[in-house]
Amino acid sequence: MNEATKTAQHGLSEHSHGFGVPIQTRSERPRSTKLADFAEISTREEQWRYITADRLGGLDQDSLDEFSGDIETKLAEGVESSWIESSHQLFGSAGIPEDRVSAAGWEAAKAAYLISIPSSVKDSAQTTLTITSVSADPAALHVIVEAKKGSDSVVVIDHRGDATLSENIEFIIEDEAKLTVVSIQDWNEGSIHNGAQYAMLGRNSAFKHVMVTLGGAVVRMTPSAYFGAPGGDAALYGLYFADAGQYLEHRIFVDHSTPNCKSRVTYKGALQGTKAHTVWVGDVLIRAAAEGTDTYELNRNLLLTDGARADSVPNLEIETGQIQGAGHASASGRFDDEQLFYLQARGLSELEARRLVVRGFLMEVVQQIGVPELEERLAASIEDELERSAS
């Protein structure tokens, strides 16, 4: 376990205010791999402000089974996969849980599926994990992706089927490695997924993370990026499309704890239908030692119909003034009337104009993936969503 993770675990006792006292800032958030260290879920706590425990399908309890679905893997040449026990030294190398549901999943998963990418892998070689669940019983899964020094690869994690799943995924990006991760949540209707993803960046490493959330009744994703050495570069992109009754929550955390690192966060969402609800919370912490930090986060939401709700909360916590730059922007709203007028004036119908605007709005994120077949699939999924909005 590296020093940054040890510091995080120490923070549980150092910053804990006791059960029932809400945490005020992100730097105070306790972390632990044990369910008993977290209080029962309450909307008084900021991290559960928008969702109640009854919507989580029992994922916050100690009765989770280990994941029994299928993991189909297509490995790039040279990449290896195996199951490792929870006593393995890689467990917790990238991060540990910050909430009760993730801790419940961590304890329940006695082994992790390891993807090991050696230094010899170059040129964005692609590995794909298709995780398919066929059971709605509460379950836990742990995945670890280890990108060795100087490697250059792409890992696609594709979630499908019917699930009630607490999932922890760790990404260990060693010095000078480049790792692109595409995490797709395309669950069947009714699925519940709480996914915590942790990335630890080594010296002069580059991490691109693209989160795409389309399917499921309740999906709550919490990607985090930590810098273990100077020179790291993290780019986190996200796309989500919520239909009537869907609840999609994304909580991003970027922890700048070392000097001269860069991060960019860009998430975009579209919503349509009654009680379609999305939540985006972007937390960036710049610690006192992180001089030379350059960071910016952006969230945009497009509400396509009445009855939809988008909550967007960007947060910056800065402990040093010696930085390159730090900023954030957030906006949620309906179509730009000037855009629609411009397109209609050139012969498009109102429906065609609306679809063109939404397509352009979301495809900016899709094009960051860099995998043509995936981009085509997601473009088709967006078209399907737009067809439903027109009917």
Side-chain angles (χ1 to χ4, degrees), residues 28-312:
E28 296 178 311
R29 186 78 55 84
R31 302 176 190 173
S32 174
T33 60
K34 298 185 180 301
L35 175 65
D37 286 334
F38 293 94
E40 296 288 337
I41 290 174
S42 168
T43 53
R44 293 183 66 236
E45 293 290 346
E46 194 283 326
Q47 61 184 327
W48 302 110
R49 176 181 173 186
Y50 299 99
I51 187 171
T52 53
D54 61 292
R55 301 193 67 185
L56 294 169
L59 291 178
D60 59 326
Q61 302 302 316
D62 60 0
S63 55
L64 278 64
D65 296 323
E66 290 193 82
F67 180 75
S68 60
D70 181 56
I71 300 178
E72 179 184 351
T73 308
K74 296 181 180 179
L75 300 175
E77 184 176 356
V79 175
E80 298 179 347
S81 66
S82 61
W83 285 95
I84 58 174
E85 298 299 317
S86 59
S87 57
H88 196 283
Q89 62 180 1
L90 286 179
F91 264 76
S93 293
I96 58 176
E98 292 188 339
D99 64 61
R100 181 178 175 86
V101 177
S102 301
W106 194 289
E107 280 195 318
K110 304 305 181 184
Y113 192 70
L114 171 65
I115 300 294
S116 185
I117 304 167
S119 299
S120 59
V121 174
K122 304 291 184 182
D123 301 323
S124 300
Q126 181 180 330
T127 289
T128 300
L129 277 69
T130 302
I131 298 171
T132 305
S133 175
V134 295
S135 173
D137 295 333
L141 177 64
H142 200 126
V143 177
I144 299 176
V145 178
E146 180 187 32
K148 291 290 190 177
K149 181 177 180 179
S151 61
D152 180 1
S153 60
V154 175
V155 175
V156 178
I157 304 174
D158 195 357
H159 299 93
R160 303 182 182 186
D162 299 291
T164 302
L165 181 65
S166 176
E167 179 185 54
N168 289 280
I169 304 181
E170 300 185 65
F171 304 107
I172 304 160
I173 306 102
E174 294 189 358
D175 295 353
E176 300 174 0
K178 295 181 180 180
L179 177 64
T180 295
V181 172
V182 184
S183 178
I184 304 172
Q185 290 64 243
D186 200 6
W187 298 108
N188 292 343
E189 184 179 351
S191 293
I192 300 171
H193 182 198
N194 186 93
Q197 301 188 3
Y198 322 85
M200 177 61 70
L201 281 72
R203 183 178 299 272
N204 298 329
S205 64
F207 178 60
K208 179 192 284 189
H209 186 271
V210 184
M211 180 79 72
V212 180
T213 304
L214 300 172
V218 174
V219 180
R220 181 178 182 271
M221 306 301 293
T222 57
S224 301
Y226 304 94
F227 296 92
D233 188 333
L236 281 66
Y237 298 91
L239 159 68
Y240 47 90
F241 203 133
D243 287 316
Q246 269 189 303
Y247 178 85
L248 308 179
E249 179 173 337
H250 297 83
R251 287 180 173 265
I252 294 84
F253 179 40
V254 181
D255 187 347
H256 284 273
S257 57
T258 58
N260 302 320
C261 293
K262 178 180 178 180
S263 65
R264 292 291 184 270
V265 177
T266 303
Y267 269 63
K268 289 189 173 186
L271 302 83
Q272 62 186 10
T274 303
K275 294 186 178 179
H277 187 187
T278 65
V279 174
W280 180 88
V281 179
D283 287 322
V284 176
L285 170 61
I286 305 174
R287 299 182 186 269
E291 296 182 357
T293 290
D294 181 5
T295 183
Y296 193 84
E297 57 177 347
L298 169 71
N299 179 232
R300 294 278 188 264
N301 298 289
L302 193 55
L303 286 79
L304 307 180
T305 65
D306 294 333
R309 170 183 170 182
D311 290 286
S312 180

